[in-house]
Amino acid sequence: MIVDAQGRRFRNLRLSLTAACNYACTYCVPDGKRLQAAALELTASELVRAVRLLIDSAGIEKLRITGGEPLLSPKFEEVLPQVMALGLRDVSITTNGQLLPRKARTVIDSGVRRINVSLDTLDPVRFRAIARSGDLETVLYGIDLMLEAGLKVKVNMVPMRTANVDQVLPMLDYCLDRGIELRYIELMNMGHLKQSASFVRDFFGMEDILALIGSRYEYARTDAAFDSTSVRFEVPGRGVFGIIANESEPFCASCTRLRLSSNGFLYGCLSSSHRHDMKDLLALPDDGARAALQRLLLAALGDKQTLSFAGEVTVMKFIGG
Ligand code: SAM
């Protein structure tokens, strides 16, 4: 297993099924135009083989299927049951939930136990203003279906000062009432937001989020996994919420994440645009592929930041959240 000088190695893989998305969120794409699939995206069988090789060579234990919007990909139905059969400790999905009612059967039948739904507001008008597409009720119905089927649901919200901070408490109420762990994601300094006035204007960090929550609830910090990106808090008797505090409390020092884009590039760090092409080695037999992969993994691990997220022009949608 490849380990760096800080003792970090890859354990968690984010697999982007497609760069295409049915939303065009304000913080993710600059021009309101939805992202399309990348040229030369890997086929379903190439993606599954890539995951298998990464389990063998990098020691991947946990897999999150993401995008773009993974449920939009025609490969979703094919990839999900196959990766479920690879013997990983944990497989989960990150989705904007818009297609969840339509894909609920596939998700439930696959045996996947955990799903994260991205949702920035419970206000239908604001929903359209942020996502620039989609329909709130459909997402909420999708969440209900997952809860009814017994899946563990987390909701991801990006609080932004000029867009949805009035939703910090309503979103927490909604989640606590349903046994959902809400995770506030601090706005990340990436893509078109990098070093921009809108990043500075809209950033709403952990301190501000906690001040708002403290106006209604008592909370106390609670445990998180050693390599968790989330700082977790318990509201006694009600449940747990988290803050992914990439700016306020960076987690680079314990990061174990590796990302594979839908067109076959490995990314060792969200804060680096360095990428390592895995596509060609998928044409090799397993032994040759593993040897070539070791070199890529070493380079990808070297891309990790030492302490904190520096900001990068990489767009999250290309490489998964
Ligand atoms: N389409 C899926 C979804 O919406 O969950 C998966 C991909 S999306 C890029 C993954 C997550 O990244 C979403 O929760 C989204 O809110 C978050 N995200 C994208 N750009 C971000 C940014 N600049 N700062 C913080 N979170 C961001």
Side-chain angles (χ1 to χ4, degrees):
M1 230 52 82
I2 303 167
V3 181
D4 75 3
Q6 288 182 242
R8 297 177 294 192
R9 71 173 184 84
F10 294 124
R11 289 173 200 272
N12 292 1
L13 176 65
R14 308 259 159 137
L15 175 67
S16 174
L17 290 195
T18 178
C21 190
N22 43 359
Y23 285 5
C25 298
T26 50
Y27 48 80
C28 200
V29 295
D31 51 10
K33 287 197 194 118
R34 294 182 204 167
L35 283 176
Q36 305 300 313
L40 303 176
E41 293 201 330
L42 300 185
T43 63
S45 53
E46 284 173 325
L47 286 168
V48 175
R49 175 147 186 263
V51 174
R52 190 167 55 72
L53 287 167
L54 288 167
I55 293 172
D56 292 349
S57 300
I60 294 299
E61 298 162 8
K62 294 170 76 174
L63 174 71
R64 174 168 294 283
I65 297 174
T66 179
E69 174 46 43
L71 272 52
L72 192 61
S73 167
K75 287 170 269 184
F76 180 68
E77 275 84 357
E78 213 179 325
V79 169
L80 182 58
Q82 291 190 52
V83 294
M84 288 301 288
L86 292 175
L88 286 153
R89 183 154 65 80
D90 181 48
V91 178
S92 57
I93 301 167
T94 295
T95 173
N96 61 34
Q98 196 56 225
L99 293 171
L100 205 42
R102 272 195 254 169
K103 305 282 173 166
R105 203 63 269 155
T106 306
V107 173
I108 294 163
D109 289 350
S110 74
V112 78
R113 302 304 311 141
R114 301 198 306 119
I115 190 158
N116 288 8
V117 181
S118 302
L119 178 63
D120 295 321
T121 174
L122 292 168
D123 176 319
V125 175
R126 220 90 62 73
F127 177 95
R128 295 279 304 185
I130 297 172
R132 297 191 281 205
S133 186
D135 159 62
L136 173 64
E137 283 307 315
T138 308
V139 178
L140 298 180
Y141 178 52
I143 291 175
D144 286 344
L145 292 175
M146 295 298 106
L147 291 171
E148 275 163 29
L151 272 81
K152 191 170 168 206
V153 179
K154 287 184 183 168
V155 164
N156 292 337
M157 169 188 183
V158 182
M160 289 163 286
R161 197 175 288 280
T162 63
N164 61 348
V165 285
D166 63 322
Q167 293 290 301
V168 163
L169 284 171
M171 287 281 295
L172 184 58
D173 294 337
Y174 166 86
C175 289
L176 290 174
D177 287 348
R178 289 163 181 77
I180 294 172
E181 183 168 330
L182 174 60
R183 296 176 340 153
Y184 302 98
I185 308 179
E186 283 186 354
L187 188 63
M188 294 180 78
N189 194 4
M190 63 189 301
H192 66 290
L193 292 183
K194 185 179 153 117
Q195 318 299 11
S196 69
S198 31
F199 174 77
V200 175
R201 184 196 62 206
D202 271 333
F203 181 79
F204 193 77
M206 178 151 80
E207 208 182 312
D208 293 320
I209 296 168
L210 289 176
L212 267 181
I213 293 172
S215 68
R216 178 167 314 167
Y217 291 111
E218 304 242 322
Y219 62 82
R221 196 152 169 165
T222 187
D223 294 346
F226 82 96
D227 61 346
S228 169
T229 52
S230 170
V231 183
R232 296 174 81 234
F233 299 88
E234 186 174 3
V235 179
R238 294 296 311 277
V240 171
F241 69 90
I243 302 180
I244 301 182
N246 17 266
E247 296 282 333
S248 307
E249 202 167 309
F251 38 81
C252 300
S254 58
C255 178
T256 58
R257 274 155 206 81
L258 174 67
R259 291 175 164 84
L260 177 62
S261 68
S262 55
N263 53 351
F265 288 94
L266 289 172
Y267 290 81
C269 176
L270 260 188
S271 186
S272 164
S273 54
H274 291 173
R275 55 185 202 169
H276 309 277
D277 194 351
M278 195 177 163
K279 216 167 19 256
D280 290 346
L281 69 79
L282 292 173
L284 303 173
D286 276 4
D287 283 353
R290 283 198 199 100
L293 193 50
Q294 288 297 316
R295 288 190 289 278
L296 300 191
L297 288 168
L298 198 58
L301 196 57
D303 294 336
K304 286 204 178 296
Q305 306 293 303
T306 310
L307 281 178
S308 63
F309 188 82
E312 192 41 81
V313 289
T314 323
V315 176
M316 182 88 88
K317 263 188 184 155
F318 289 134
I319 56 176

